Amino acid sequence: MPHYTPLIGTIVLALVVAFFMGALAHRLRVSPIAGYLMAGVLIGPFTPGVVADSGIATELAEIGVILLMFGVGLHFSLKDLMSVWRIAVPGAIVQIAAATLMGLGLATWLGWPLVAGLCFGLALSVASTVVLLRALEGRSLVQTERGRIAVGWLIVEDLAMVVALVLLPVVAAALDPDKAVAMPAILWSIATTLVKVGGFVALMLIVGRRAIPWALHWVVHTGSRELFRLAVLAIALGVAFGSALAFDVSFALGAFFAGMILGETELSRRAAQETLPLRDAFAVLFFVSVGMLADPKVLIEQPLPLLATVGIIVIGKSAAAWVIVRAFGHPNRTAATVAASLAQIGEFSFILAGLGTKLGILPAEARDLILGGAILSILVNPVLFAMVAGRGTAPQDPSRQETEREEAREEAREDHVVVIGAGRVGRIIAKGCRDAGRAFVIVEDQRDTAHTAVSEGWSVVVGNALDDRVLRDAGVPRATKLLIAIPGGFEAGAIAARARALNPDLYVLSRAHSVDEVAYLKRHGVDEVVLGEEELARTMLRRAGEQRAATG
């Protein structure tokens, strides 16, 4: 019998090719999403060579959609949205409408029906969460005014697309001229859909808000990390599947609400960390499955429509965003940053395209244009963003004057400590530095954790410490000490090596969880390593001895 099945073959082929294409994309300094999409094209039915099973890939992509939407909900921040709602809400709505109308115009020119044009335009109107956040984090802009507006704008777009996913099947039936449906039947269908969605939302807000945190807290008290990881995945997948089964809503909506409710608890960061590897793996499979649907012949057979699609994404909706931001009185640099960050499309566009194709309202050529436009816009976006965005640092105060003062202090700092990570260990270190009156900068790549650190009044650079630009923003070339507080010992070694290249005289101290990690860190330039278990054992022995001496 064969030693593989179509399922195993599809997973292995998709992940292996995605790895090589993602690494190539990283080397070219573009989003790995472009590499994953190209991997799908290479193993798809429209290119020669090995072809993966598209049916199985589509099934796996459904899990990817669930976990992607769960992650969006998990990081949904009502606080971030409310801080910029005056521009983010009307701006995103107007920009979505403008992009949809432009897409509808192109669809009309191509002879597509109205409902196909609306679906096509919606797919072009929403930016990729992954691409936008990575672009902002790469230039330490997340906690700046420009970054908050872009993130708030993106949240509104995501919420609008969640609503679109719910209503699109009903609206498609109502607007399709080929389907003779009476108006009362259409209204009844819309009302039924809204009642089902309302019932699901009410159940999640009333019952889920209590049951989900209670269940997770119970699991935490068992002390089992594996059980906690399993509980989070069971909640994400179970709520998504159950909502589709009981309320006839999409997997995406169910997963989004599960993540949003979990995101309100103090366990949200741990839940995100525990599910991140599986979420990333299935997200890769999702992007690969989308790429498998793309026909490269669109470059030859439809060059002008493809060029027009890219023009709508990169120029049309960006121009609309720039005009809106300027109309609200913000400076040109802020408007340009928001416009550039939205000049691409991604995961929601693919989900909409997949739904439109499944409903039979979106022609195959429209899907190819969406996929081609996504790949090209993701390739172009880093260049466009670098031209207009510049760099920034996380402010201690939202006012522009305080931001400028903080940047000036960082430039003048010559003797300070750089702390990698604002988790539990990093926060203790930061408090110790503050109490000792020692200047320090924190590097953190998680938005919510960085936001909490900023609220403490600490200087924070948001980004990945493996990026030389982020280390330079934190002042590593001028620092005296680097304290690596993240739990990943092998990642810490890579950070230490990069920091040592920027500052050979830097004192580097890191934490580790095993003897192998200690040896690895020493080989990569770490001066001293704190092994958690050894330090814990020494402390317990010392305190036990002190207690014995006190009672003796």
Side-chain angles (χ1 to χ4, degrees):
M1 62 179 294
H3 295 283
Y4 68 92
T5 65
L7 173 61
I8 296 175
T10 299
I11 293 176
V12 171
L13 185 61
L15 292 180
V16 169
V17 179
F19 166 73
F20 285 108
M21 296 306 297
L24 178 61
H26 179 77
R27 184 73 175 175
L28 297 175
R29 295 188 177 275
V30 299
S31 173
I33 293 177
Y36 305 150
L37 292 171
M38 289 303 300
V41 173
L42 292 177
I43 64 174
F46 302 105
T47 54
V50 181
V51 178
D53 190 312
S54 58
I56 292 177
T58 301
E59 292 288 333
L60 294 172
E62 290 287 357
I63 300 179
V65 170
I66 292 173
L67 295 179
L68 273 173
M69 292 302 301
F70 178 72
V72 171
L74 201 60
H75 292 96
F76 174 78
S77 174
L78 187 60
K79 182 183 294 185
D80 287 347
L81 178 59
M82 294 306 296
S83 66
V84 293
W85 73 269
R86 287 182 177 84
I87 180 174
V89 174
I93 292 173
V94 173
Q95 182 251 305
I96 289 173
T100 301
L101 289 176
M102 285 185 279
L104 179 60
L106 177 58
T108 302
W109 176 62
L110 294 173
W112 301 343
L114 176 63
V115 66
L118 289 174
C119 184
F120 180 70
L122 276 175
L124 301 185
S125 69
V126 58
S128 166
T129 303
V130 177
V131 175
L132 184 144
L133 288 178
R134 287 181 179 175
L136 293 176
E137 290 170 354
R139 296 187 172 272
S140 304
L141 292 170
V142 175
Q143 295 297 331
T144 64
E145 180 189 35
R146 294 178 284 162
R148 286 194 297 270
I149 291 175
V151 172
W153 198 297
L154 182 68
I155 290 173
V156 177
E157 284 191 349
D158 288 352
L159 290 175
M161 292 306 110
V162 169
V163 175
L165 290 173
V166 173
L167 295 179
L168 187 60
V170 179
V171 174
L175 295 180
D176 192 342
D178 296 331
K179 296 181 180 179
V181 182
M183 185 57 65
I186 293 174
L187 295 177
W188 174 256
S189 180
I190 293 176
T192 302
T193 301
L194 292 177
V195 168
K196 288 180 179 179
V197 173
F200 167 70
V201 172
L203 181 66
M204 291 298 293
L205 294 179
I206 297 173
V207 179
R209 182 172 282 180
R210 293 172 174 81
I212 291 176
W214 176 84
L216 282 180
H217 278 92
W218 180 85
V219 173
V220 167
H221 289 139
T222 66
S224 173
R225 183 174 181 178
E226 292 180 2
L227 196 58
F228 179 83
R229 185 183 299 119
L230 182 60
V232 174
L233 292 173
I235 289 171
L237 298 173
V239 170
F241 183 78
S243 62
L245 195 65
F247 294 93
D248 200 27
V249 300
S250 66
F251 288 147
L253 182 64
F256 175 80
F257 266 90
M260 187 177 70
I261 289 175
L262 185 55
E264 295 178 353
T265 71
E266 63 271 18
L267 298 172
S268 60
R269 176 172 171 79
R270 182 178 172 187
Q273 291 175 336
E274 294 291 343
T275 59
L276 186 61
L278 189 64
R279 196 166 75 235
D280 283 349
F282 276 97
V284 169
L285 292 175
F286 165 70
F287 291 121
V288 171
S289 70
V290 170
M292 290 176 64
L293 301 174
D295 188 351
K297 289 189 296 184
V298 69
L299 293 170
I300 301 172
E301 297 177 352
Q302 301 186 72
L304 291 180
L306 179 60
L307 186 62
T309 301
V310 175
I312 292 174
I313 298 169
V314 176
I315 301 174
K317 72 171 186 173
S318 298
W322 183 87
V323 170
I324 294 166
V325 176
R326 289 290 287 160
F328 275 84
H330 290 275
N332 183 63
R333 193 181 187 193
T334 298
T337 301
V338 173
S341 64
L342 299 172
Q344 37 78 20
I345 60 175
E347 50 271 14
F348 263 116
S349 305
F350 307 145
I351 296 172
L352 280 170
L355 179 60
T357 304
K358 184 177 179 180
L359 293 171
I361 62 176
L362 197 65
E365 55 266 31
R367 181 192 62 203
D368 292 338
L369 290 177
I370 292 171
L371 297 178
I375 294 174
L376 294 177
S377 66
I378 290 172
L379 290 173
V380 170
N381 189 255
V383 178
L384 181 63
F385 201 84
M387 290 172 57
V388 303
R391 303 192 65 80
T393 54
Q396 294 184 11
D397 185 273
S399 69
R400 184 173 303 147
Q401 292 80 8
E402 178 62 24
T403 302
E404 293 173 353
R405 287 196 295 269
E406 172 62 17
E407 290 176 348
R409 282 195 296 269
E410 290 188 1
E411 288 297 325
R413 190 177 291 133
E414 295 292 341
D415 179 20
H416 67 288
V417 176
V418 177
V419 181
I420 306 297
R424 289 176 296 178
V425 177
R427 290 175 62 82
I428 294 173
I429 293 173
K431 289 177 181 178
C433 290
R434 181 190 60 191
D435 295 342
R438 187 67 186 270
F440 66 94
V441 179
I442 297 175
V443 177
E444 174 58 51
D445 63 350
Q446 296 291 327
R447 281 195 308 123
D448 50 353
T449 305
H451 184 78
T452 302
V454 171
S455 66
E456 295 278 353
W458 299 339
S459 178
V460 181
V461 174
V462 184
N464 191 332
L466 288 170
D467 189 337
D468 290 346
R469 295 175 300 180
V470 173
L471 293 178
R472 288 193 179 93
D473 282 349
V476 166
R478 304 182 303 276
T480 57
K481 294 180 176 66
L482 176 70
L483 307 184
I484 306 177
I486 59 175
F490 294 102
E491 182 182 356
I495 294 172
R498 290 179 179 273
R500 183 71 71 191
L502 295 175
N503 186 348
D505 299 325
L506 186 68
Y507 170 80
V508 183
L509 175 65
S510 180
R511 59 185 285 202
H513 292 285
S514 68
V515 176
D516 290 338
E517 286 187 359
V518 173
Y520 174 83
L521 290 169
K522 289 284 189 178
R523 288 198 306 269
H524 284 74
V526 176
D527 295 294
E528 290 189 64
V529 182
V530 178
L531 183 58
E533 287 79 1
E534 288 185 357
E535 294 299 321
L536 180 62
R538 291 193 186 101
T539 301
M540 293 179 70
L541 287 172
R542 186 180 69 252
R543 292 188 179 181
E546 293 171 352
Q547 176 66 20
R548 186 168 56 251
T551 56

